[in-house]
Amino acid sequence: MAWRSLLKGDPMPWLLERSDPAVRAQTLRSLLDKGPRDPDLRDAQQRAMSMPPISTILRRQQPDASWPGASLYGPKYEGTHWANLLLVEYGVDPGDPRVRRAARHVLEELASPGRGGMDWVFEQDHGASCFTGNVVRYIAMAGYGADERLEPLVQRLVRDSKKFDAACYARLVWGLAALPETARTREVQRTLRRGVEFLLSFRVERGRYPTDTAPSYLWRQLSFPLFYQADVLFVLRALDAAGAIDDDRAQPAIGFLLARQDARGRWGGRAPYAARMPSRVDASKWVTLQACTILKHAFPEIAA
């Protein structure tokens, strides 16, 4: 069954609106399979870089490639770490010099004696995979996935995966799945398989993973962007990034997702942290784009 037949309407004209070039560029790339030389994609990507939300974040970047704050982590959702995370989520051009310098700055800070104010991450026995996974992802997406300075963070994720950290498994998979093939050692591949197995073993749509707390109120909402949090849609995105969206155990969660679309083939999204973000976005557009991407990969078109 082709993915488009599962939609109740056609969201494509909405996703391709020129007024939202970041969503348009990602739609052209992910749903319509346009390559980097396609003129429509090139135009949308160039416009996305010069308009909010991407331009708002890049405009605040300081000369040393960081963002204002006392550490990489603060202020929350606006500082250097969060800016890098959001840029990747918004589909920033990874080859842009500002993006590469920002990722390189984080690498250098985490390798310095003060670790960019993030000593607490490395001093904990485990439990910070949400931070580490996000860092590995945006650094890898900026072209530094094989950089030797990233290896301590990758090894931290490998160690965390053996210590049963349910709260951060989705971010752990999210980060490691972004590594280039040349950086995916057997150990990394085993860790990815372990993470995928964990995520699929407890019914994603229910979110009843073995933790000391009940599932978050966010779990069955559809939110964008999320930072260290996770919900059903984000776990499906992580599974997709790891190449496991075709696993039969993901079907109930995909069914949950399908049931949330409206008659126009769109999904309603929320931005629970909008008040603390540097630029607001149309969460429903991003959630719809992500839901359609999940469906496209789970139910690919079959050539005649």
Side-chain angles (χ1 to χ4, degrees), residues 77 207 213-223 226 228-232 256 260 270-274:
Y77 305 147
T213 59
S216 165
Y217 74 96
L218 292 172
W219 189 259
R220 291 170 68 85
Q221 294 183 14
L222 302 176
S223 300
L226 291 175
Y228 54 80
Q229 309 85 0
D231 60 9
V232 174
F256 164 85
R260 303 293 294 271
R270 299 187 182 187
Y273 306 101

mmCIF file with all atom_site columns, all heavy atoms in Angstrom, residues 77 207 213-223 226 228-232 256 260 270-274:
data_model
loop_
_atom_site.group_PDB
_atom_site.id
_atom_site.type_symbol
_atom_site.label_atom_id
_atom_site.label_alt_id
_atom_site.label_comp_id
_atom_site.label_asym_id
_atom_site.label_entity_id
_atom_site.label_seq_id
_atom_site.pdbx_PDB_ins_code
_atom_site.Cartn_x
_atom_site.Cartn_y
_atom_site.Cartn_z
_atom_site.occupancy
_atom_site.B_iso_or_equiv
_atom_site.pdbx_formal_charge
_atom_site.auth_seq_id
_atom_site.auth_comp_id
_atom_site.auth_asym_id
_atom_site.auth_atom_id
_atom_site.pdbx_PDB_model_num
ATOM 1   N N   . TYR A 1 77  ? 16.914 26.552 25.774 1.00 0.00 ? 77  TYR A N   1
ATOM 2   C CA  . TYR A 1 77  ? 16.235 26.651 24.490 1.00 0.00 ? 77  TYR A CA  1
ATOM 3   C C   . TYR A 1 77  ? 16.723 27.821 23.629 1.00 0.00 ? 77  TYR A C   1
ATOM 4   O O   . TYR A 1 77  ? 16.200 28.045 22.542 1.00 0.00 ? 77  TYR A O   1
ATOM 5   C CB  . TYR A 1 77  ? 14.708 26.728 24.646 1.00 0.00 ? 77  TYR A CB  1
ATOM 6   C CG  . TYR A 1 77  ? 14.134 25.590 25.452 1.00 0.00 ? 77  TYR A CG  1
ATOM 7   C CD1 . TYR A 1 77  ? 13.023 25.771 26.252 1.00 0.00 ? 77  TYR A CD1 1
ATOM 8   C CD2 . TYR A 1 77  ? 14.721 24.330 25.442 1.00 0.00 ? 77  TYR A CD2 1
ATOM 9   C CE1 . TYR A 1 77  ? 12.491 24.732 27.009 1.00 0.00 ? 77  TYR A CE1 1
ATOM 10  C CE2 . TYR A 1 77  ? 14.214 23.288 26.197 1.00 0.00 ? 77  TYR A CE2 1
ATOM 11  C CZ  . TYR A 1 77  ? 13.109 23.492 26.986 1.00 0.00 ? 77  TYR A CZ  1
ATOM 12  O OH  . TYR A 1 77  ? 12.593 22.465 27.742 1.00 0.00 ? 77  TYR A OH  1
ATOM 13  N N   . GLY A 1 207 ? 3.766  4.140  25.471 1.00 0.00 ? 207 GLY A N   1
ATOM 14  C CA  . GLY A 1 207 ? 4.808  4.835  26.199 1.00 0.00 ? 207 GLY A CA  1
ATOM 15  C C   . GLY A 1 207 ? 5.067  4.293  27.586 1.00 0.00 ? 207 GLY A C   1
ATOM 16  O O   . GLY A 1 207 ? 5.575  5.006  28.451 1.00 0.00 ? 207 GLY A O   1
ATOM 17  N N   . THR A 1 213 ? 8.656  7.053  36.656 1.00 0.00 ? 213 THR A N   1
ATOM 18  C CA  . THR A 1 213 ? 7.568  8.006  36.494 1.00 0.00 ? 213 THR A CA  1
ATOM 19  C C   . THR A 1 213 ? 6.582  7.524  35.437 1.00 0.00 ? 213 THR A C   1
ATOM 20  O O   . THR A 1 213 ? 6.886  6.646  34.622 1.00 0.00 ? 213 THR A O   1
ATOM 21  C CB  . THR A 1 213 ? 8.114  9.382  36.073 1.00 0.00 ? 213 THR A CB  1
ATOM 22  O OG1 . THR A 1 213 ? 8.834  9.238  34.842 1.00 0.00 ? 213 THR A OG1 1
ATOM 23  C CG2 . THR A 1 213 ? 9.053  9.934  37.136 1.00 0.00 ? 213 THR A CG2 1
ATOM 24  N N   . ALA A 1 214 ? 5.405  8.128  35.443 1.00 0.00 ? 214 ALA A N   1
ATOM 25  C CA  . ALA A 1 214 ? 4.395  7.817  34.435 1.00 0.00 ? 214 ALA A CA  1
ATOM 26  C C   . ALA A 1 214 ? 4.745  8.524  33.133 1.00 0.00 ? 214 ALA A C   1
ATOM 27  O O   . ALA A 1 214 ? 5.533  9.479  33.125 1.00 0.00 ? 214 ALA A O   1
ATOM 28  C CB  . ALA A 1 214 ? 3.028  8.275  34.930 1.00 0.00 ? 214 ALA A CB  1
ATOM 29  N N   . PRO A 1 215 ? 4.187  8.080  32.002 1.00 0.00 ? 215 PRO A N   1
ATOM 30  C CA  . PRO A 1 215 ? 4.452  8.779  30.733 1.00 0.00 ? 215 PRO A CA  1
ATOM 31  C C   . PRO A 1 215 ? 4.087  10.254 30.827 1.00 0.00 ? 215 PRO A C   1
ATOM 32  O O   . PRO A 1 215 ? 3.100  10.625 31.456 1.00 0.00 ? 215 PRO A O   1
ATOM 33  C CB  . PRO A 1 215 ? 3.558  8.037  29.731 1.00 0.00 ? 215 PRO A CB  1
ATOM 34  C CG  . PRO A 1 215 ? 3.370  6.680  30.321 1.00 0.00 ? 215 PRO A CG  1
ATOM 35  C CD  . PRO A 1 215 ? 3.341  6.893  31.806 1.00 0.00 ? 215 PRO A CD  1
ATOM 36  N N   . SER A 1 216 ? 4.883  11.091 30.195 1.00 0.00 ? 216 SER A N   1
ATOM 37  C CA  . SER A 1 216 ? 4.631  12.522 30.189 1.00 0.00 ? 216 SER A CA  1
ATOM 38  C C   . SER A 1 216 ? 3.317  12.841 29.488 1.00 0.00 ? 216 SER A C   1
ATOM 39  O O   . SER A 1 216 ? 2.872  12.110 28.589 1.00 0.00 ? 216 SER A O   1
ATOM 40  C CB  . SER A 1 216 ? 5.780  13.234 29.477 1.00 0.00 ? 216 SER A CB  1
ATOM 41  O OG  . SER A 1 216 ? 5.442  14.556 29.139 1.00 0.00 ? 216 SER A OG  1
ATOM 42  N N   . TYR A 1 217 ? 2.723  13.962 29.870 1.00 0.00 ? 217 TYR A N   1
ATOM 43  C CA  . TYR A 1 217 ? 1.501  14.405 29.197 1.00 0.00 ? 217 TYR A CA  1
ATOM 44  C C   . TYR A 1 217 ? 1.764  14.690 27.719 1.00 0.00 ? 217 TYR A C   1
ATOM 45  O O   . TYR A 1 217 ? 0.842  14.708 26.890 1.00 0.00 ? 217 TYR A O   1
ATOM 46  C CB  . TYR A 1 217 ? 0.959  15.661 29.885 1.00 0.00 ? 217 TYR A CB  1
ATOM 47  C CG  . TYR A 1 217 ? 1.739  16.922 29.613 1.00 0.00 ? 217 TYR A CG  1
ATOM 48  C CD1 . TYR A 1 217 ? 1.345  17.803 28.601 1.00 0.00 ? 217 TYR A CD1 1
ATOM 49  C CD2 . TYR A 1 217 ? 2.883  17.238 30.339 1.00 0.00 ? 217 TYR A CD2 1
ATOM 50  C CE1 . TYR A 1 217 ? 2.074  18.954 28.332 1.00 0.00 ? 217 TYR A CE1 1
ATOM 51  C CE2 . TYR A 1 217 ? 3.613  18.386 30.080 1.00 0.00 ? 217 TYR A CE2 1
ATOM 52  C CZ  . TYR A 1 217 ? 3.204  19.237 29.077 1.00 0.00 ? 217 TYR A CZ  1
ATOM 53  O OH  . TYR A 1 217 ? 3.942  20.372 28.816 1.00 0.00 ? 217 TYR A OH  1
ATOM 54  N N   . LEU A 1 218 ? 3.030  14.907 27.364 1.00 0.00 ? 218 LEU A N   1
ATOM 55  C CA  . LEU A 1 218 ? 3.386  15.178 25.977 1.00 0.00 ? 218 LEU A CA  1
ATOM 56  C C   . LEU A 1 218 ? 3.368  13.930 25.104 1.00 0.00 ? 218 LEU A C   1
ATOM 57  O O   . LEU A 1 218 ? 3.339  14.039 23.872 1.00 0.00 ? 218 LEU A O   1
ATOM 58  C CB  . LEU A 1 218 ? 4.791  15.790 25.903 1.00 0.00 ? 218 LEU A CB  1
ATOM 59  C CG  . LEU A 1 218 ? 4.996  17.191 26.472 1.00 0.00 ? 218 LEU A CG  1
ATOM 60  C CD1 . LEU A 1 218 ? 6.479  17.536 26.475 1.00 0.00 ? 218 LEU A CD1 1
ATOM 61  C CD2 . LEU A 1 218 ? 4.221  18.222 25.660 1.00 0.00 ? 218 LEU A CD2 1
ATOM 62  N N   . TRP A 1 219 ? 3.402  12.755 25.718 1.00 0.00 ? 219 TRP A N   1
ATOM 63  C CA  . TRP A 1 219 ? 3.680  11.535 24.964 1.00 0.00 ? 219 TRP A CA  1
ATOM 64  C C   . TRP A 1 219 ? 2.727  11.313 23.801 1.00 0.00 ? 219 TRP A C   1
ATOM 65  O O   . TRP A 1 219 ? 3.135  10.967 22.694 1.00 0.00 ? 219 TRP A O   1
ATOM 66  C CB  . TRP A 1 219 ? 3.683  10.316 25.888 1.00 0.00 ? 219 TRP A CB  1
ATOM 67  C CG  . TRP A 1 219 ? 4.175  9.084  25.189 1.00 0.00 ? 219 TRP A CG  1
ATOM 68  C CD1 . TRP A 1 219 ? 3.434  8.059  24.670 1.00 0.00 ? 219 TRP A CD1 1
ATOM 69  C CD2 . TRP A 1 219 ? 5.539  8.772  24.892 1.00 0.00 ? 219 TRP A CD2 1
ATOM 70  N NE1 . TRP A 1 219 ? 4.242  7.134  24.068 1.00 0.00 ? 219 TRP A NE1 1
ATOM 71  C CE2 . TRP A 1 219 ? 5.537  7.548  24.192 1.00 0.00 ? 219 TRP A CE2 1
ATOM 72  C CE3 . TRP A 1 219 ? 6.751  9.405  25.155 1.00 0.00 ? 219 TRP A CE3 1
ATOM 73  C CZ2 . TRP A 1 219 ? 6.714  6.945  23.763 1.00 0.00 ? 219 TRP A CZ2 1
ATOM 74  C CZ3 . TRP A 1 219 ? 7.928  8.813  24.712 1.00 0.00 ? 219 TRP A CZ3 1
ATOM 75  C CH2 . TRP A 1 219 ? 7.883  7.592  24.033 1.00 0.00 ? 219 TRP A CH2 1
ATOM 76  N N   . ARG A 1 220 ? 1.441  11.521 24.036 1.00 0.00 ? 220 ARG A N   1
ATOM 77  C CA  . ARG A 1 220 ? 0.454  11.249 22.995 1.00 0.00 ? 220 ARG A CA  1
ATOM 78  C C   . ARG A 1 220 ? -0.008 12.529 22.292 1.00 0.00 ? 220 ARG A C   1
ATOM 79  O O   . ARG A 1 220 ? -0.982 12.501 21.533 1.00 0.00 ? 220 ARG A O   1
ATOM 80  C CB  . ARG A 1 220 ? -0.713 10.472 23.581 1.00 0.00 ? 220 ARG A CB  1
ATOM 81  C CG  . ARG A 1 220 ? -0.299 9.046  23.964 1.00 0.00 ? 220 ARG A CG  1
ATOM 82  C CD  . ARG A 1 220 ? -1.382 8.340  24.777 1.00 0.00 ? 220 ARG A CD  1
ATOM 83  N NE  . ARG A 1 220 ? -2.574 8.077  23.993 1.00 0.00 ? 220 ARG A NE  1
ATOM 84  C CZ  . ARG A 1 220 ? -2.754 7.019  23.200 1.00 0.00 ? 220 ARG A CZ  1
ATOM 85  N NH1 . ARG A 1 220 ? -1.792 6.109  23.100 1.00 0.00 ? 220 ARG A NH1 1
ATOM 86  N NH2 . ARG A 1 220 ? -3.878 6.841  22.543 1.00 0.00 ? 220 ARG A NH2 1
ATOM 87  N N   . GLN A 1 221 ? 0.662  13.629 22.559 1.00 0.00 ? 221 GLN A N   1
ATOM 88  C CA  . GLN A 1 221 ? 0.471  14.818 21.749 1.00 0.00 ? 221 GLN A CA  1
ATOM 89  C C   . GLN A 1 221 ? 1.450  14.744 20.583 1.00 0.00 ? 221 GLN A C   1
ATOM 90  O O   . GLN A 1 221 ? 2.324  13.885 20.531 1.00 0.00 ? 221 GLN A O   1
ATOM 91  C CB  . GLN A 1 221 ? 0.746  16.079 22.568 1.00 0.00 ? 221 GLN A CB  1
ATOM 92  C CG  . GLN A 1 221 ? -0.234 16.336 23.693 1.00 0.00 ? 221 GLN A CG  1
ATOM 93  C CD  . GLN A 1 221 ? 0.048  17.631 24.415 1.00 0.00 ? 221 GLN A CD  1
ATOM 94  O OE1 . GLN A 1 221 ? 0.794  18.470 23.939 1.00 0.00 ? 221 GLN A OE1 1
ATOM 95  N NE2 . GLN A 1 221 ? -0.572 17.786 25.575 1.00 0.00 ? 221 GLN A NE2 1
ATOM 96  N N   . LEU A 1 222 ? 1.294  15.646 19.650 1.00 0.00 ? 222 LEU A N   1
ATOM 97  C CA  . LEU A 1 222 ? 2.232  15.732 18.528 1.00 0.00 ? 222 LEU A CA  1
ATOM 98  C C   . LEU A 1 222 ? 2.853  17.124 18.597 1.00 0.00 ? 222 LEU A C   1
ATOM 99  O O   . LEU A 1 222 ? 2.182  18.125 18.332 1.00 0.00 ? 222 LEU A O   1
ATOM 100 C CB  . LEU A 1 222 ? 1.512  15.518 17.197 1.00 0.00 ? 222 LEU A CB  1
ATOM 101 C CG  . LEU A 1 222 ? 0.759  14.182 17.067 1.00 0.00 ? 222 LEU A CG  1
ATOM 102 C CD1 . LEU A 1 222 ? 0.013  14.119 15.741 1.00 0.00 ? 222 LEU A CD1 1
ATOM 103 C CD2 . LEU A 1 222 ? 1.707  13.015 17.199 1.00 0.00 ? 222 LEU A CD2 1
ATOM 104 N N   . SER A 1 223 ? 4.116  17.185 18.979 1.00 0.00 ? 223 SER A N   1
ATOM 105 C CA  . SER A 1 223 ? 4.757  18.466 19.252 1.00 0.00 ? 223 SER A CA  1
ATOM 106 C C   . SER A 1 223 ? 5.968  18.708 18.358 1.00 0.00 ? 223 SER A C   1
ATOM 107 O O   . SER A 1 223 ? 6.668  17.774 17.971 1.00 0.00 ? 223 SER A O   1
ATOM 108 C CB  . SER A 1 223 ? 5.208  18.523 20.721 1.00 0.00 ? 223 SER A CB  1
ATOM 109 O OG  . SER A 1 223 ? 4.114  18.386 21.603 1.00 0.00 ? 223 SER A OG  1
ATOM 110 N N   . LEU A 1 226 ? 10.672 19.537 19.825 1.00 0.00 ? 226 LEU A N   1
ATOM 111 C CA  . LEU A 1 226 ? 10.997 19.028 21.147 1.00 0.00 ? 226 LEU A CA  1
ATOM 112 C C   . LEU A 1 226 ? 12.506 19.126 21.311 1.00 0.00 ? 226 LEU A C   1
ATOM 113 O O   . LEU A 1 226 ? 13.245 19.138 20.323 1.00 0.00 ? 226 LEU A O   1
ATOM 114 C CB  . LEU A 1 226 ? 10.524 17.585 21.315 1.00 0.00 ? 226 LEU A CB  1
ATOM 115 C CG  . LEU A 1 226 ? 9.004  17.394 21.365 1.00 0.00 ? 226 LEU A CG  1
ATOM 116 C CD1 . LEU A 1 226 ? 8.657  15.906 21.398 1.00 0.00 ? 226 LEU A CD1 1
ATOM 117 C CD2 . LEU A 1 226 ? 8.385  18.104 22.567 1.00 0.00 ? 226 LEU A CD2 1
ATOM 118 N N   . TYR A 1 228 ? 14.844 17.819 24.620 1.00 0.00 ? 228 TYR A N   1
ATOM 119 C CA  . TYR A 1 228 ? 15.311 16.557 25.186 1.00 0.00 ? 228 TYR A CA  1
ATOM 120 C C   . TYR A 1 228 ? 14.124 15.641 25.446 1.00 0.00 ? 228 TYR A C   1
ATOM 121 O O   . TYR A 1 228 ? 14.280 14.496 25.836 1.00 0.00 ? 228 TYR A O   1
ATOM 122 C CB  . TYR A 1 228 ? 16.111 16.780 26.478 1.00 0.00 ? 228 TYR A CB  1
ATOM 123 C CG  . TYR A 1 228 ? 15.390 17.594 27.523 1.00 0.00 ? 228 TYR A CG  1
ATOM 124 C CD1 . TYR A 1 228 ? 14.428 17.014 28.336 1.00 0.00 ? 228 TYR A CD1 1
ATOM 125 C CD2 . TYR A 1 228 ? 15.673 18.936 27.692 1.00 0.00 ? 228 TYR A CD2 1
ATOM 126 C CE1 . TYR A 1 228 ? 13.754 17.767 29.295 1.00 0.00 ? 228 TYR A CE1 1
ATOM 127 C CE2 . TYR A 1 228 ? 15.015 19.688 28.645 1.00 0.00 ? 228 TYR A CE2 1
ATOM 128 C CZ  . TYR A 1 228 ? 14.058 19.104 29.443 1.00 0.00 ? 228 TYR A CZ  1
ATOM 129 O OH  . TYR A 1 228 ? 13.392 19.851 30.385 1.00 0.00 ? 228 TYR A OH  1
ATOM 130 N N   . GLN A 1 229 ? 12.900 16.144 25.203 1.00 0.00 ? 229 GLN A N   1
ATOM 131 C CA  . GLN A 1 229 ? 11.691 15.364 25.437 1.00 0.00 ? 229 GLN A CA  1
ATOM 132 C C   . GLN A 1 229 ? 11.450 14.399 24.268 1.00 0.00 ? 229 GLN A C   1
ATOM 133 O O   . GLN A 1 229 ? 12.159 14.421 23.272 1.00 0.00 ? 229 GLN A O   1
ATOM 134 C CB  . GLN A 1 229 ? 10.489 16.306 25.599 1.00 0.00 ? 229 GLN A CB  1
ATOM 135 C CG  . GLN A 1 229 ? 10.682 17.420 26.615 1.00 0.00 ? 229 GLN A CG  1
ATOM 136 C CD  . GLN A 1 229 ? 11.384 18.660 26.038 1.00 0.00 ? 229 GLN A CD  1
ATOM 137 O OE1 . GLN A 1 229 ? 11.739 18.706 24.863 1.00 0.00 ? 229 GLN A OE1 1
ATOM 138 N NE2 . GLN A 1 229 ? 11.593 19.654 26.882 1.00 0.00 ? 229 GLN A NE2 1
ATOM 139 N N   . ALA A 1 230 ? 10.441 13.565 24.410 1.00 0.00 ? 230 ALA A N   1
ATOM 140 C CA  . ALA A 1 230 ? 10.089 12.643 23.329 1.00 0.00 ? 230 ALA A CA  1
ATOM 141 C C   . ALA A 1 230 ? 8.588  12.407 23.359 1.00 0.00 ? 230 ALA A C   1
ATOM 142 O O   . ALA A 1 230 ? 7.940  12.562 24.396 1.00 0.00 ? 230 ALA A O   1
ATOM 143 C CB  . ALA A 1 230 ? 10.839 11.317 23.470 1.00 0.00 ? 230 ALA A CB  1
ATOM 144 N N   . ASP A 1 231 ? 8.047  12.053 22.227 1.00 0.00 ? 231 ASP A N   1
ATOM 145 C CA  . ASP A 1 231 ? 6.648  11.634 22.133 1.00 0.00 ? 231 ASP A CA  1
ATOM 146 C C   . ASP A 1 231 ? 6.571  10.511 21.104 1.00 0.00 ? 231 ASP A C   1
ATOM 147 O O   . ASP A 1 231 ? 7.601  10.058 20.586 1.00 0.00 ? 231 ASP A O   1
ATOM 148 C CB  . ASP A 1 231 ? 5.730  12.810 21.781 1.00 0.00 ? 231 ASP A CB  1
ATOM 149 C CG  . ASP A 1 231 ? 6.075  13.468 20.436 1.00 0.00 ? 231 ASP A CG  1
ATOM 150 O OD1 . ASP A 1 231 ? 6.919  12.924 19.691 1.00 0.00 ? 231 ASP A OD1 1
ATOM 151 O OD2 . ASP A 1 231 ? 5.496  14.522 20.124 1.00 0.00 ? 231 ASP A OD2 1
ATOM 152 N N   . VAL A 1 232 ? 5.362  10.049 20.809 1.00 0.00 ? 232 VAL A N   1
ATOM 153 C CA  . VAL A 1 232 ? 5.209  8.927  19.875 1.00 0.00 ? 232 VAL A CA  1
ATOM 154 C C   . VAL A 1 232 ? 5.815  9.262  18.519 1.00 0.00 ? 232 VAL A C   1
ATOM 155 O O   . VAL A 1 232 ? 6.548  8.457  17.931 1.00 0.00 ? 232 VAL A O   1
ATOM 156 C CB  . VAL A 1 232 ? 3.719  8.552  19.716 1.00 0.00 ? 232 VAL A CB  1
ATOM 157 C CG1 . VAL A 1 232 ? 3.560  7.473  18.634 1.00 0.00 ? 232 VAL A CG1 1
ATOM 158 C CG2 . VAL A 1 232 ? 3.136  8.058  21.032 1.00 0.00 ? 232 VAL A CG2 1
ATOM 159 N N   . PHE A 1 256 ? -1.660 4.686  15.327 1.00 0.00 ? 256 PHE A N   1
ATOM 160 C CA  . PHE A 1 256 ? -2.004 5.800  16.209 1.00 0.00 ? 256 PHE A CA  1
ATOM 161 C C   . PHE A 1 256 ? -1.808 7.122  15.479 1.00 0.00 ? 256 PHE A C   1
ATOM 162 O O   . PHE A 1 256 ? -2.649 8.033  15.558 1.00 0.00 ? 256 PHE A O   1
ATOM 163 C CB  . PHE A 1 256 ? -1.122 5.746  17.460 1.00 0.00 ? 256 PHE A CB  1
ATOM 164 C CG  . PHE A 1 256 ? -1.091 7.010  18.261 1.00 0.00 ? 256 PHE A CG  1
ATOM 165 C CD1 . PHE A 1 256 ? -2.075 7.279  19.211 1.00 0.00 ? 256 PHE A CD1 1
ATOM 166 C CD2 . PHE A 1 256 ? -0.079 7.944  18.077 1.00 0.00 ? 256 PHE A CD2 1
ATOM 167 C CE1 . PHE A 1 256 ? -2.050 8.450  19.942 1.00 0.00 ? 256 PHE A CE1 1
ATOM 168 C CE2 . PHE A 1 256 ? -0.047 9.114  18.812 1.00 0.00 ? 256 PHE A CE2 1
ATOM 169 C CZ  . PHE A 1 256 ? -1.031 9.379  19.741 1.00 0.00 ? 256 PHE A CZ  1
ATOM 170 N N   . ARG A 1 260 ? -4.743 10.284 13.874 1.00 0.00 ? 260 ARG A N   1
ATOM 171 C CA  . ARG A 1 260 ? -4.734 11.671 14.318 1.00 0.00 ? 260 ARG A CA  1
ATOM 172 C C   . ARG A 1 260 ? -4.839 12.680 13.174 1.00 0.00 ? 260 ARG A C   1
ATOM 173 O O   . ARG A 1 260 ? -4.918 13.887 13.420 1.00 0.00 ? 260 ARG A O   1
ATOM 174 C CB  . ARG A 1 260 ? -3.442 11.955 15.107 1.00 0.00 ? 260 ARG A CB  1
ATOM 175 C CG  . ARG A 1 260 ? -3.217 11.069 16.309 1.00 0.00 ? 260 ARG A CG  1
ATOM 176 C CD  . ARG A 1 260 ? -4.234 11.306 17.401 1.00 0.00 ? 260 ARG A CD  1
ATOM 177 N NE  . ARG A 1 260 ? -4.116 12.642 17.981 1.00 0.00 ? 260 ARG A NE  1
ATOM 178 C CZ  . ARG A 1 260 ? -3.333 12.935 19.020 1.00 0.00 ? 260 ARG A CZ  1
ATOM 179 N NH1 . ARG A 1 260 ? -2.613 11.968 19.590 1.00 0.00 ? 260 ARG A NH1 1
ATOM 180 N NH2 . ARG A 1 260 ? -3.288 14.150 19.498 1.00 0.00 ? 260 ARG A NH2 1
ATOM 181 N N   . ARG A 1 270 ? 1.535  20.908 18.217 1.00 0.00 ? 270 ARG A N   1
ATOM 182 C CA  . ARG A 1 270 ? 1.670  21.893 19.286 1.00 0.00 ? 270 ARG A CA  1
ATOM 183 C C   . ARG A 1 270 ? 3.140  22.258 19.453 1.00 0.00 ? 270 ARG A C   1
ATOM 184 O O   . ARG A 1 270 ? 4.020  21.452 19.184 1.00 0.00 ? 270 ARG A O   1
ATOM 185 C CB  . ARG A 1 270 ? 1.129  21.333 20.613 1.00 0.00 ? 270 ARG A CB  1
ATOM 186 C CG  . ARG A 1 270 ? -0.355 20.972 20.550 1.00 0.00 ? 270 ARG A CG  1
ATOM 187 C CD  . ARG A 1 270 ? -0.884 20.598 21.908 1.00 0.00 ? 270 ARG A CD  1
ATOM 188 N NE  . ARG A 1 270 ? -2.271 20.218 21.865 1.00 0.00 ? 270 ARG A NE  1
ATOM 189 C CZ  . ARG A 1 270 ? -3.012 19.964 22.948 1.00 0.00 ? 270 ARG A CZ  1
ATOM 190 N NH1 . ARG A 1 270 ? -2.460 20.044 24.153 1.00 0.00 ? 270 ARG A NH1 1
ATOM 191 N NH2 . ARG A 1 270 ? -4.287 19.629 22.833 1.00 0.00 ? 270 ARG A NH2 1
ATOM 192 N N   . ALA A 1 271 ? 3.370  23.465 19.921 1.00 0.00 ? 271 ALA A N   1
ATOM 193 C CA  . ALA A 1 271 ? 4.725  23.922 20.235 1.00 0.00 ? 271 ALA A CA  1
ATOM 194 C C   . ALA A 1 271 ? 4.741  24.295 21.716 1.00 0.00 ? 271 ALA A C   1
ATOM 195 O O   . ALA A 1 271 ? 4.569  25.460 22.074 1.00 0.00 ? 271 ALA A O   1
ATOM 196 C CB  . ALA A 1 271 ? 5.109  25.109 19.366 1.00 0.00 ? 271 ALA A CB  1
ATOM 197 N N   . PRO A 1 272 ? 4.922  23.296 22.591 1.00 0.00 ? 272 PRO A N   1
ATOM 198 C CA  . PRO A 1 272 ? 4.762  23.536 24.032 1.00 0.00 ? 272 PRO A CA  1
ATOM 199 C C   . PRO A 1 272 ? 5.775  24.500 24.633 1.00 0.00 ? 272 PRO A C   1
ATOM 200 O O   . PRO A 1 272 ? 5.551  25.023 25.722 1.00 0.00 ? 272 PRO A O   1
ATOM 201 C CB  . PRO A 1 272 ? 4.898  22.136 24.640 1.00 0.00 ? 272 PRO A CB  1
ATOM 202 C CG  . PRO A 1 272 ? 5.638  21.335 23.609 1.00 0.00 ? 272 PRO A CG  1
ATOM 203 C CD  . PRO A 1 272 ? 5.215  21.892 22.297 1.00 0.00 ? 272 PRO A CD  1
ATOM 204 N N   . TYR A 1 273 ? 6.885  24.751 23.929 1.00 0.00 ? 273 TYR A N   1
ATOM 205 C CA  . TYR A 1 273 ? 7.916  25.628 24.484 1.00 0.00 ? 273 TYR A CA  1
ATOM 206 C C   . TYR A 1 273 ? 8.077  26.905 23.663 1.00 0.00 ? 273 TYR A C   1
ATOM 207 O O   . TYR A 1 273 ? 9.116  27.565 23.713 1.00 0.00 ? 273 TYR A O   1
ATOM 208 C CB  . TYR A 1 273 ? 9.243  24.869 24.577 1.00 0.00 ? 273 TYR A CB  1
ATOM 209 C CG  . TYR A 1 273 ? 9.084  23.574 25.335 1.00 0.00 ? 273 TYR A CG  1
ATOM 210 C CD1 . TYR A 1 273 ? 8.981  22.357 24.665 1.00 0.00 ? 273 TYR A CD1 1
ATOM 211 C CD2 . TYR A 1 273 ? 8.960  23.574 26.720 1.00 0.00 ? 273 TYR A CD2 1
ATOM 212 C CE1 . TYR A 1 273 ? 8.789  21.178 25.361 1.00 0.00 ? 273 TYR A CE1 1
ATOM 213 C CE2 . TYR A 1 273 ? 8.767  22.399 27.422 1.00 0.00 ? 273 TYR A CE2 1
ATOM 214 C CZ  . TYR A 1 273 ? 8.687  21.201 26.739 1.00 0.00 ? 273 TYR A CZ  1
ATOM 215 O OH  . TYR A 1 273 ? 8.477  20.032 27.433 1.00 0.00 ? 273 TYR A OH  1
ATOM 216 N N   . ALA A 1 274 ? 7.028  27.271 22.918 1.00 0.00 ? 274 ALA A N   1
ATOM 217 C CA  . ALA A 1 274 ? 7.107  28.405 22.005 1.00 0.00 ? 274 ALA A CA  1
ATOM 218 C C   . ALA A 1 274 ? 7.486  29.702 22.710 1.00 0.00 ? 274 ALA A C   1
ATOM 219 O O   . ALA A 1 274 ? 8.236  30.518 22.169 1.00 0.00 ? 274 ALA A O   1
ATOM 220 C CB  . ALA A 1 274 ? 5.775  28.587 21.276 1.00 0.00 ? 274 ALA A CB  1
#
